[in-house]
Every structure is written in structure tokens, then in C-alpha cells.
Amino acid sequence: MSIKRHEPGKLLSAAVEHNGLVYLAGQVPDDLSQDVKGQTEQVLKKIDALLAAAGSSKSNILSANIWLADIRERDAMNTAWQAWMDPKNPPARATVEAKLADPRILVEIMAVAAKA
């Protein structure tokens, strides 16, 4: 059984590869001064980088979970999401409101992708 961990830390790995799948940990923005659209764009860039390091891409995302600090910001988040995602390969997705680890974090995204 082969397992590859990307950016392992004390609590989690940013991504884990196993059996042709890439599991991403919940990704949050670094610049917390931005609005939800800007924070979402940051998170999506992190997802692109992690998937590329694992030999995958956004076109291979199977599912995504999105947590918003305020569900009323869903349209702004969706604007960034739709501009980024591969329209020919939309993943299964859930979006829910949740209290996030830092009140300045407006969005967190976790995904599972197939390897290319």
C-alpha cells in the first residue's frame, strides 16, 4: 500500500495520495483582510498548487466541501468558484455555513480528486 503525504505537519498533511486519489485537507486563505470572493480565489490557487504537486488538476476533482462563515456570502464565493472550475467537469459539491477556526476566515474548502 502506497501513501504519499504532501506538506505534513503536526496536525495534518495538506494533501494525501492513495489508490489513485488525492485527498486535500481543508484549505483556508492566508490574507484574511480580503472579502469572501478574494479569500475564495486564494484558496482555489492553493488547491491548484496542491493538485499539481500530486499530479492532478481541478478537472479531476470528484467532490468538494465548502464551509462559509456566512451562507449569505454564497453568491460571492460562487462567482470565484465558477470563474475557476472546469465547466466541463463540475465536481459533486456541498456548501454549508459553519463557525470557522478564526473569525476572519470566511471560507474553507476541502476536495478529493482523481490522479491524472
Side-chain angles (χ1 to χ4, degrees):
M1 169 173 60
S2 173
I3 298 174
K4 183 174 181 182
R5 299 178 196 283
H6 296 265
E7 300 178 26
K10 290 180 184 179
L11 298 176
L12 55 88
S13 293
V16 177
E17 295 179 53
H18 177 65
N19 275 352
L21 296 176
V22 182
Y23 301 86
L24 300 185
Q27 300 299 309
V28 296
D30 294 318
D31 179 358
L32 303 181
S33 69
Q34 294 186 344
D35 64 10
V36 72
K37 182 177 179 283
Q39 287 193 17
T40 302
E41 290 167 346
Q42 288 180 61
V43 170
L44 296 173
K45 285 179 186 176
K46 288 173 123 179
I47 289 172
D48 279 335
L50 286 167
L51 290 174
S56 190
S57 72
K58 63 187 172 190
S59 297
N60 295 329
I61 295 177
L62 304 172
S63 66
N65 293 323
I66 302 173
W67 295 275
L68 291 173
D70 184 345
I71 199 68
R72 294 173 294 184
E73 297 288 347
R74 188 179 60 166
D75 288 343
M77 179 277 299
N78 276 331
T79 297
W81 177 270
Q82 287 181 303
W84 170 81
M85 67 166 258
D86 178 352
K88 293 180 182 177
N89 295 294
R93 193 186 98 172
T95 304
V96 298
E97 182 178 77
K99 185 174 182 179
L100 301 174
D102 180 319
R104 298 170 300 160
I105 296 173
L106 306 176
V107 62
E108 181 171 346
I109 303 175
M110 180 178 181
V112 177
K115 295 220 8 144

